[in-house]
Structures are given as C-alpha cells and as structure tokens.
Amino acid sequence: LDGAIRNLEQAKKYQEFFQTSNLVDEVQAIHLAMPDEVSVIRLSRRGVCTQCNFILTYPEVDEPELTTCPKCQAPVVKRLDDQPEVVRERLRDQGNAALKPLVDFYTDHNVLITVDATQGIEHVATDIAKVLA
C-alpha cells in the first residue's frame, strides 16, 4: 500500500477494514525514517532519461550526476518537481510533520517498524526484507 495511507482518517478506515476482514494480525507498517532535509537533497539529485524515462538517483552528495542515460544513452534531465524549492513545498504537506499522526497511530497499534532510510539503498532493502521475513 505504498503511499496509499496519507492521513489519519484513511488510516482509521483501513484499520476498520482490517478488523472487519479479520486481517489485523496480517498488518505491518514500515516507516522509512529520514529527516526532511535529507529527502530534499536526495530528491533534488534525481534525473530522468528523456527517452526511456529511467530514473537515476544520486543519494550521495559527492556522487557525480550523469548527463547520459546508462540504459539507452539518451540525455538525462531534472524534472521540475525535483527542484529543491519544489521538494521543500511538497514536504510541507507530505513530510515528517504530516506523517507524525500516522506514525503515532501505527505505533499505538503495535504494527509500526521503523527503518533508517538514511542508509544506502542496499542496507534499507536488507532491513525491509528482515521485517517482511
């Protein structure tokens, strides 16, 4: 349900569904925790291929950004919504402050697992796999 539950009202409705469907014991919420400013850095360093739409990510600040797609060799551009000021605006509505009621809700229901998303993608994937195992 990646991104499906964006506010407390939706969380409560899903919880009702899980309860009436006898699925409460099957629910696990994973919180990929990251400071908003780290999100700004990572999101503003993305690029997208103009031909195949492959998304390139450069999570490390010292990692050079490519101008050519590694898959099809077409030019890579930055999307307008990945500009730092646009990302900050999005995070005002969808960042950690907006997520806090959801984090609290799922913590109160004892189904929240927090994963440190500031790690490299391989470590985050490993931590998520451990949760799902």
Coordinates of all heavy atoms in Angstrom, one line a residue, residues 5-83:
I5 N -1.9 5.3 2.3 CA -2.5 5.9 3.6 C -1.7 7.1 3.8 O -0.5 7.1 4.3 CB -2.4 4.9 4.7 CG1 -3.1 3.6 4.4 CG2 -2.9 5.5 6.0 CD1 -3.0 2.5 5.4
R6 N -2.3 8.3 3.5 CA -1.6 9.6 3.6 C -2.1 10.4 4.8 O -1.5 11.5 5.0 CB -1.8 10.3 2.3 CG -1.1 9.6 1.1 CD -1.2 10.5 -0.1 NE -0.5 9.8 -1.2 CZ 0.7 10.1 -1.6 NH1 1.5 10.9 -0.9 NH2 1.3 9.4 -2.6
N7 N -3.2 10.0 5.4 CA -3.6 10.8 6.6 C -4.3 9.9 7.6 O -4.6 8.8 7.3 CB -4.6 11.9 6.1 CG -5.8 11.4 5.4 OD1 -6.5 10.6 5.9 ND2 -6.0 11.9 4.2
L8 N -4.6 10.5 8.7 CA -5.1 9.7 9.9 C -6.5 9.2 9.6 O -6.8 8.0 9.9 CB -5.1 10.6 11.1 CG -5.4 9.9 12.4 CD1 -4.5 8.7 12.7 CD2 -5.3 10.9 13.6
E9 N -7.3 9.9 8.9 CA -8.7 9.4 8.5 C -8.6 8.2 7.7 O -9.3 7.2 7.9 CB -9.5 10.5 7.8 CG -10.9 10.2 7.6 CD -11.7 9.9 8.8 OE1 -11.4 10.5 9.9 OE2 -12.6 9.1 8.8
Q10 N -7.7 8.2 6.7 CA -7.5 7.0 5.8 C -7.0 5.8 6.7 O -7.5 4.7 6.5 CB -6.5 7.3 4.7 CG -7.1 8.1 3.6 CD -6.0 8.4 2.6 OE1 -4.8 8.1 2.7 NE2 -6.4 9.1 1.5
A11 N -6.1 6.1 7.6 CA -5.5 5.0 8.5 C -6.7 4.4 9.3 O -6.7 3.2 9.4 CB -4.4 5.6 9.4
K12 N -7.5 5.2 9.8 CA -8.6 4.7 10.6 C -9.6 3.8 9.8 O -10.0 2.8 10.2 CB -9.4 5.8 11.3 CG -8.6 6.5 12.4 CD -9.3 7.7 12.9 CE -8.5 8.4 14.0 NZ -9.2 9.6 14.6
K13 N -9.8 4.3 8.6 CA -10.7 3.5 7.7 C -10.1 2.2 7.3 O -10.8 1.1 7.3 CB -11.1 4.3 6.4 CG -12.0 5.5 6.7 CD -13.3 5.0 7.1 CE -14.3 6.2 7.2 NZ -15.5 5.8 7.8
Y14 N -8.8 2.2 7.0 CA -8.1 0.9 6.7 C -8.1 0.0 7.9 O -8.3 -1.2 7.8 CB -6.7 1.2 6.3 CG -6.5 1.4 4.8 CD1 -6.4 2.6 4.2 CD2 -6.4 0.3 3.9 CE1 -6.3 2.8 2.8 CE2 -6.2 0.4 2.6 CZ -6.2 1.7 2.0 OH -6.0 1.8 0.7
Q15 N -7.9 0.6 9.1 CA -7.9 -0.2 10.3 C -9.3 -0.9 10.5 O -9.4 -2.1 10.9 CB -7.6 0.6 11.5 CG -7.3 -0.2 12.8 CD -6.1 -1.1 12.7 OE1 -5.2 -0.9 11.9 NE2 -6.1 -2.1 13.5
E16 N -10.4 -0.1 10.2 CA -11.7 -0.7 10.3 C -11.9 -1.9 9.3 O -12.4 -2.9 9.7 CB -12.8 0.3 10.0 CG -13.0 1.4 11.0 CD -14.0 2.4 10.6 OE1 -14.8 2.2 9.6 OE2 -13.9 3.5 11.2
F17 N -11.4 -1.7 8.1 CA -11.4 -2.8 7.1 C -10.6 -4.0 7.6 O -11.1 -5.1 7.5 CB -10.9 -2.3 5.8 CG -10.6 -3.4 4.8 CD1 -11.7 -4.0 4.1 CD2 -9.3 -3.9 4.6 CE1 -11.4 -5.0 3.2 CE2 -9.1 -4.9 3.7 CZ -10.2 -5.5 3.0
F18 N -9.4 -3.8 8.1 CA -8.6 -4.9 8.6 C -9.3 -5.6 9.7 O -9.3 -6.9 9.8 CB -7.2 -4.4 9.1 CG -6.4 -3.8 8.0 CD1 -5.6 -2.7 8.3 CD2 -6.4 -4.3 6.7 CE1 -4.8 -2.1 7.3 CE2 -5.6 -3.7 5.7 CZ -4.8 -2.6 6.0
Q19 N -10.0 -4.9 10.6 CA -10.7 -5.5 11.7 C -11.9 -6.3 11.2 O -12.1 -7.5 11.6 CB -11.1 -4.5 12.7 CG -10.0 -3.9 13.5 CD -10.3 -2.7 14.4 OE1 -11.3 -2.0 14.1 NE2 -9.6 -2.5 15.4
T20 N -12.7 -5.7 10.3 CA -13.9 -6.4 9.9 C -13.5 -7.6 8.9 O -14.3 -8.5 8.8 CB -14.9 -5.5 9.1 OG1 -14.2 -4.9 8.0 CG2 -15.4 -4.4 10.1
S21 N -12.4 -7.5 8.3 CA -11.9 -8.6 7.5 C -11.1 -9.6 8.2 O -10.5 -10.5 7.6 CB -11.2 -8.1 6.3 OG -11.9 -7.2 5.6
N22 N -10.9 -9.5 9.5 CA -10.1 -10.4 10.3 C -8.7 -10.4 9.8 O -8.1 -11.5 9.8 CB -10.8 -11.8 10.4 CG -10.5 -12.5 11.7 OD1 -10.1 -11.8 12.7 ND2 -10.6 -13.8 11.6
L23 N -8.1 -9.3 9.5 CA -6.8 -9.2 9.0 C -5.8 -8.4 9.9 O -4.7 -8.2 9.5 CB -6.8 -8.5 7.6 CG -7.5 -9.2 6.5 CD1 -7.6 -8.4 5.2 CD2 -6.7 -10.5 6.1
V24 N -6.3 -8.0 11.0 CA -5.4 -7.2 11.9 C -4.1 -7.8 12.2 O -3.1 -7.1 12.2 CB -6.2 -6.9 13.2 CG1 -5.3 -6.2 14.2 CG2 -7.4 -6.1 13.0
D25 N -4.0 -9.1 12.4 CA -2.7 -9.8 12.6 C -1.8 -9.9 11.4 O -0.7 -10.3 11.5 CB -3.0 -11.2 13.2 CG -3.6 -11.1 14.6 OD1 -3.4 -10.1 15.3 OD2 -4.3 -12.1 14.9
E26 N -2.3 -9.5 10.2 CA -1.6 -9.6 9.0 C -1.0 -8.2 8.6 O -0.3 -8.1 7.6 CB -2.5 -10.0 7.8 CG -3.2 -11.4 8.1 CD -2.2 -12.5 8.3 OE1 -1.2 -12.5 7.5 OE2 -2.4 -13.3 9.1
V27 N -1.3 -7.2 9.4 CA -0.9 -5.8 9.1 C 0.5 -5.5 9.7 O 0.7 -5.7 10.8 CB -1.9 -4.8 9.5 CG1 -1.4 -3.4 9.3 CG2 -3.2 -5.0 8.9
Q28 N 1.4 -4.9 8.8 CA 2.7 -4.4 9.3 C 2.9 -3.1 8.6 O 2.8 -3.0 7.3 CB 3.8 -5.4 8.9 CG 5.1 -5.0 9.5 CD 5.2 -5.2 11.0 OE1 5.0 -6.3 11.5 NE2 5.3 -4.1 11.7
A29 N 3.2 -2.1 9.3 CA 3.5 -0.8 8.7 C 5.0 -0.6 8.8 O 5.6 -0.8 9.9 CB 2.8 0.3 9.4
I30 N 5.7 -0.1 7.7 CA 7.1 0.2 7.7 C 7.3 1.6 7.5 O 6.8 2.2 6.5 CB 7.8 -0.6 6.7 CG1 7.6 -2.1 6.9 CG2 9.3 -0.3 6.7 CD1 8.2 -3.0 5.7
H31 N 7.9 2.3 8.5 CA 8.2 3.7 8.4 C 9.6 3.9 7.9 O 10.6 3.5 8.7 CB 8.0 4.4 9.7 CG 8.4 5.8 9.8 ND1 8.9 6.4 10.9 CD2 8.2 6.8 8.9 CE1 9.2 7.6 10.7 NE2 8.7 7.9 9.5
L32 N 9.8 4.4 6.7 CA 11.2 4.7 6.2 C 11.6 6.1 6.7 O 11.2 7.1 6.2 CB 11.2 4.6 4.7 CG 10.8 3.3 4.1 CD1 10.8 3.3 2.6 CD2 11.7 2.2 4.6
A33 N 12.3 6.1 7.9 CA 12.6 7.3 8.6 C 13.7 8.1 7.9 O 14.8 7.5 7.7 CB 12.8 7.1 10.0
M34 N 13.5 9.4 7.7 CA 14.6 10.2 7.1 C 14.2 11.6 7.4 O 13.1 12.0 7.2 CB 14.6 10.0 5.6 CG 15.6 10.8 4.9 SD 15.6 10.6 3.1 CE 16.2 8.9 3.0
P35 N 15.2 12.4 7.8 CA 14.9 13.8 8.0 C 14.5 14.5 6.7 O 15.0 14.1 5.6 CB 16.3 14.4 8.5 CG 17.0 13.2 9.1 CD 16.6 12.1 8.3
D36 N 13.6 15.5 6.8 CA 13.1 16.1 5.6 C 14.2 16.7 4.7 O 14.2 16.6 3.5 CB 12.1 17.2 5.9 CG 10.8 16.7 6.4 OD1 10.5 15.5 6.1 OD2 10.0 17.4 7.0
E37 N 15.2 17.3 5.4 CA 16.3 17.9 4.6 C 17.1 16.9 3.8 O 17.6 17.1 2.7 CB 17.2 18.7 5.5 CG 18.1 19.7 4.7 CD 17.3 20.6 3.8 OE1 16.2 21.1 4.0 OE2 17.9 20.9 2.7
V38 N 17.3 15.7 4.4 CA 17.9 14.6 3.6 C 17.1 14.2 2.4 O 17.6 14.0 1.3 CB 18.2 13.3 4.5 CG1 18.8 12.2 3.7 CG2 19.2 13.7 5.6
S39 N 15.7 14.2 2.6 CA 14.8 13.9 1.5 C 15.0 15.0 0.4 O 15.0 14.7 -0.8 CB 13.4 13.9 1.9 OG 13.1 12.9 2.8
V40 N 15.1 16.3 0.8 CA 15.3 17.3 -0.2 C 16.6 17.1 -1.0 O 16.6 17.2 -2.2 CB 15.4 18.7 0.5 CG1 15.8 19.8 -0.5 CG2 14.1 19.1 1.2
I41 N 17.7 16.7 -0.3 CA 18.9 16.5 -1.0 C 18.8 15.3 -2.0 O 19.2 15.5 -3.2 CB 20.1 16.2 0.0 CG1 20.4 17.5 0.8 CG2 21.3 15.7 -0.7 CD1 21.3 17.3 2.0
R42 N 18.2 14.2 -1.5 CA 18.1 13.1 -2.4 C 17.2 13.3 -3.6 O 17.5 12.9 -4.7 CB 17.7 11.9 -1.6 CG 18.8 11.4 -0.7 CD 18.4 10.1 0.0 NE 19.6 9.5 0.7 CZ 19.5 8.4 1.4 NH1 18.4 7.6 1.3 NH2 20.6 8.0 2.0
L43 N 16.0 13.9 -3.3 CA 15.1 14.1 -4.4 C 15.5 15.1 -5.4 O 15.3 15.0 -6.6 CB 13.7 14.5 -3.8 CG 13.0 13.4 -3.0 CD1 11.8 13.9 -2.3 CD2 12.6 12.2 -4.0
S44 N 16.2 16.1 -4.9 CA 16.7 17.1 -5.9 C 17.9 16.7 -6.7 O 18.4 17.4 -7.6 CB 17.0 18.4 -5.1 OG 18.0 18.3 -4.2
R45 N 18.4 15.5 -6.3 CA 19.6 15.0 -7.1 C 19.1 13.9 -8.1 O 20.0 13.2 -8.6 CB 20.6 14.4 -6.1 CG 21.3 15.6 -5.4 CD 22.4 15.1 -4.4 NE 23.3 14.1 -5.0 CZ 24.3 14.4 -5.9 NH1 24.5 15.6 -6.2 NH2 25.1 13.4 -6.3
R46 N 17.8 13.7 -8.3 CA 17.4 12.7 -9.2 C 17.4 13.3 -10.7 O 17.4 14.5 -10.9 CB 15.9 12.3 -9.0 CG 15.7 11.6 -7.7 CD 14.3 10.9 -7.7 NE 13.2 11.9 -7.7 CZ 12.0 11.6 -7.4 NH1 11.7 10.4 -7.1 NH2 11.1 12.5 -7.5
G47 N 17.5 12.4 -11.6 CA 17.4 12.7 -13.0 C 16.6 11.7 -13.7 O 16.4 10.6 -13.2
V48 N 16.0 12.1 -14.9 CA 15.2 11.1 -15.6 C 15.6 11.2 -17.1 O 16.0 12.2 -17.7 CB 13.7 11.5 -15.5 CG1 13.4 12.8 -16.1 CG2 12.8 10.4 -16.1
C49 N 15.6 10.0 -17.7 CA 16.0 9.9 -19.1 C 14.9 10.4 -20.0 O 13.8 10.2 -19.8 CB 16.3 8.4 -19.4 SG 16.6 8.1 -21.2
T50 N 15.3 11.2 -21.0 CA 14.4 11.8 -21.9 C 13.8 10.8 -22.9 O 12.7 11.1 -23.5 CB 15.0 13.0 -22.7 OG1 16.2 12.5 -23.4 CG2 15.4 14.1 -21.8
Q51 N 14.4 9.7 -23.0 CA 13.9 8.7 -23.9 C 13.2 7.5 -23.3 O 12.0 7.2 -23.6 CB 15.0 8.2 -24.8 CG 14.5 7.2 -25.9 CD 15.6 6.9 -26.9 OE1 16.4 7.8 -27.3 NE2 15.8 5.6 -27.2
C52 N 13.8 6.8 -22.3 CA 13.2 5.6 -21.8 C 12.6 5.9 -20.4 O 12.1 4.9 -19.8 CB 14.3 4.5 -21.7 SG 15.6 4.7 -20.5
N53 N 12.7 7.1 -19.9 CA 12.2 7.5 -18.6 C 12.8 6.8 -17.4 O 12.2 6.8 -16.3 CB 10.6 7.3 -18.5 CG 9.9 8.2 -19.5 OD1 10.3 9.4 -19.6 ND2 9.0 7.7 -20.2
F54 N 14.0 6.2 -17.6 CA 14.7 5.6 -16.4 C 15.0 6.7 -15.4 O 15.5 7.8 -15.8 CB 16.0 4.9 -17.0 CG 16.8 4.3 -15.9 CD1 16.4 3.2 -15.2 CD2 18.0 4.9 -15.6 CE1 17.2 2.6 -14.2 CE2 18.8 4.3 -14.6 CZ 18.4 3.1 -13.9
I55 N 14.8 6.4 -14.2 CA 15.1 7.4 -13.1 C 16.4 7.1 -12.5 O 16.7 6.0 -12.0 CB 14.0 7.4 -12.0 CG1 12.7 7.9 -12.7 CG2 14.4 8.3 -10.9 CD1 11.5 7.8 -11.7
L56 N 17.3 8.1 -12.5 CA 18.6 7.9 -12.0 C 18.6 8.6 -10.6 O 18.1 9.7 -10.5 CB 19.7 8.6 -12.9 CG 19.9 8.0 -14.2 CD1 18.9 8.5 -15.2 CD2 21.3 8.1 -14.7
T57 N 19.2 8.0 -9.6 CA 19.3 8.6 -8.3 C 20.7 8.7 -7.9 O 21.6 7.9 -8.2 CB 18.5 7.8 -7.3 OG1 19.0 6.5 -7.3 CG2 17.0 7.8 -7.6
Y58 N 21.0 9.8 -7.2 CA 22.4 10.1 -6.7 C 22.3 10.5 -5.2 O 22.3 11.6 -4.9 CB 23.0 11.2 -7.5 CG 22.9 11.1 -9.0 CD1 21.9 11.8 -9.7 CD2 23.7 10.3 -9.7 CE1 21.7 11.6 -11.0 CE2 23.6 10.1 -11.1 CZ 22.6 10.8 -11.7 OH 22.4 10.7 -13.1
P59 N 22.2 9.5 -4.4 CA 21.9 9.8 -3.0 C 23.1 10.4 -2.3 O 22.9 11.2 -1.3 CB 21.6 8.4 -2.3 CG 22.2 7.4 -3.3 CD 22.1 8.0 -4.6
E60 N 24.3 10.2 -2.7 CA 25.5 10.8 -2.1 C 25.8 12.1 -2.8 O 25.9 12.2 -4.0 CB 26.7 9.8 -2.2 CG 26.4 8.4 -1.6 CD 25.9 8.5 -0.1 OE1 26.4 9.4 0.6 OE2 25.1 7.7 0.2
V61 N 26.1 13.1 -2.0 CA 26.3 14.5 -2.5 C 27.6 14.5 -3.4 O 27.7 15.2 -4.4 CB 26.4 15.5 -1.3 CG1 26.9 16.8 -1.8 CG2 25.1 15.6 -0.6
D62 N 28.6 13.7 -3.0 CA 29.8 13.7 -3.8 C 29.8 12.8 -5.0 O 30.7 12.7 -5.7 CB 31.0 13.3 -2.9 CG 30.9 11.9 -2.2 OD1 29.8 11.3 -2.3 OD2 31.9 11.4 -1.7
E63 N 28.6 12.1 -5.2 CA 28.5 11.2 -6.4 C 28.1 12.1 -7.6 O 27.2 12.9 -7.6 CB 27.3 10.2 -6.1 CG 27.2 9.1 -7.1 CD 26.1 8.1 -6.6 OE1 25.6 8.3 -5.5 OE2 25.8 7.3 -7.5
P64 N 28.9 11.9 -8.7 CA 28.6 12.8 -9.9 C 27.3 12.4 -10.5 O 27.0 11.2 -10.6 CB 29.8 12.5 -10.8 CG 30.3 11.1 -10.3 CD 30.0 11.0 -8.9
E65 N 26.6 13.4 -11.0 CA 25.4 13.2 -11.7 C 25.7 12.9 -13.2 O 26.5 13.6 -13.8 CB 24.4 14.4 -11.5 CG 24.0 14.6 -10.1 CD 23.1 15.8 -9.9 OE1 22.3 16.0 -10.9 OE2 23.1 16.5 -8.9
L66 N 25.0 12.0 -13.7 CA 25.1 11.6 -15.2 C 24.3 12.5 -16.0 O 23.2 13.0 -15.6 CB 24.7 10.2 -15.4 CG 25.5 9.1 -14.7 CD1 25.0 7.7 -15.0 CD2 27.0 9.2 -15.0
T67 N 24.8 12.8 -17.2 CA 24.0 13.6 -18.2 C 23.5 12.7 -19.3 O 22.7 13.1 -20.1 CB 24.9 14.7 -18.8 OG1 26.1 14.1 -19.4 CG2 25.3 15.7 -17.7
T68 N 24.0 11.4 -19.3 CA 23.6 10.5 -20.3 C 23.0 9.2 -19.6 O 23.6 8.7 -18.7 CB 24.8 10.1 -21.2 OG1 25.3 11.3 -21.8 CG2 24.3 9.2 -22.3
C69 N 21.9 8.7 -20.1 CA 21.3 7.5 -19.5 C 22.2 6.3 -19.7 O 22.6 6.0 -20.8 CB 19.9 7.3 -20.2 SG 19.1 5.8 -19.6
P70 N 22.4 5.6 -18.6 CA 23.2 4.4 -18.7 C 22.5 3.2 -19.5 O 23.2 2.3 -19.9 CB 23.5 4.0 -17.3 CG 22.4 4.6 -16.5 CD 22.0 5.8 -17.3
K71 N 21.2 3.3 -19.7 CA 20.5 2.3 -20.3 C 20.4 2.5 -21.9 O 20.5 1.6 -22.6 CB 19.0 2.1 -19.8 CG 19.0 1.5 -18.4 CD 17.6 1.2 -18.0 CE 17.6 0.3 -16.8 NZ 16.4 -0.4 -16.6
C72 N 20.1 3.7 -22.3 CA 19.8 4.0 -23.7 C 20.7 5.1 -24.3 O 20.6 5.4 -25.5 CB 18.4 4.2 -24.0 SG 17.8 5.8 -23.4
Q73 N 21.5 5.7 -23.5 CA 22.4 6.8 -23.9 C 21.8 8.1 -24.2 O 22.4 9.0 -24.8 CB 23.3 6.3 -25.0 CG 24.0 5.0 -24.8 CD 24.7 4.8 -23.5 OE1 25.4 5.7 -23.1 NE2 24.4 3.8 -22.8
A74 N 20.5 8.2 -24.0 CA 19.8 9.5 -24.3 C 20.1 10.5 -23.2 O 20.6 10.1 -22.1 CB 18.3 9.3 -24.3
P75 N 19.8 11.8 -23.4 CA 20.1 12.8 -22.4 C 19.3 12.6 -21.1 O 18.1 12.1 -21.2 CB 19.7 14.1 -23.1 CG 19.8 13.8 -24.5 CD 19.4 12.4 -24.7
V76 N 19.8 13.0 -20.0 CA 19.2 13.0 -18.7 C 18.9 14.4 -18.3 O 19.7 15.3 -18.5 CB 20.0 12.3 -17.7 CG1 19.5 12.4 -16.3 CG2 20.3 10.8 -18.0
V77 N 17.6 14.6 -17.8 CA 17.2 15.9 -17.4 C 16.7 15.9 -15.9 O 16.4 14.8 -15.5 CB 16.2 16.6 -18.3 CG1 16.7 16.8 -19.7 CG2 14.9 15.7 -18.3
K78 N 16.6 17.0 -15.3 CA 16.0 17.1 -14.0 C 14.5 17.5 -14.2 O 14.2 18.4 -15.0 CB 16.7 18.2 -13.1 CG 18.0 17.7 -12.6 CD 18.3 18.5 -11.4 CE 19.5 18.1 -10.7 NZ 19.4 16.9 -10.0
R79 N 13.6 16.8 -13.5 CA 12.2 17.1 -13.5 C 12.0 18.4 -12.7 O 12.7 18.7 -11.7 CB 11.3 16.0 -13.0 CG 11.5 14.7 -13.7 CD 10.7 13.6 -13.2 NE 10.5 13.6 -11.7 CZ 9.8 12.8 -11.0 NH1 9.2 11.8 -11.6 NH2 9.8 12.8 -9.7
L80 N 11.0 19.2 -13.1 CA 10.7 20.5 -12.4 C 10.3 20.2 -11.0 O 10.7 20.9 -10.1 CB 9.6 21.2 -13.1 CG 10.0 21.8 -14.5 CD1 8.8 22.5 -15.1 CD2 11.2 22.8 -14.3
D81 N 9.6 19.1 -10.7 CA 9.2 18.8 -9.4 C 10.3 18.2 -8.5 O 10.1 17.9 -7.3 CB 7.9 17.9 -9.3 CG 8.1 16.6 -9.9 OD1 9.1 16.3 -10.6 OD2 7.3 15.7 -9.7
D82 N 11.5 18.1 -9.0 CA 12.6 17.6 -8.2 C 13.6 18.8 -7.9 O 14.7 18.6 -7.4 CB 13.4 16.5 -8.9 CG 12.7 15.2 -8.9 OD1 11.8 15.0 -8.0 OD2 13.0 14.3 -9.8
Q83 N 13.2 20.0 -8.2 CA 14.0 21.2 -7.8 C 13.8 21.3 -6.3 O 12.8 21.1 -5.7 CB 13.5 22.4 -8.5 CG 13.6 22.4 -10.0 CD 15.0 22.1 -10.5 OE1 15.9 22.7 -10.0 NE2 15.2 21.3 -11.4

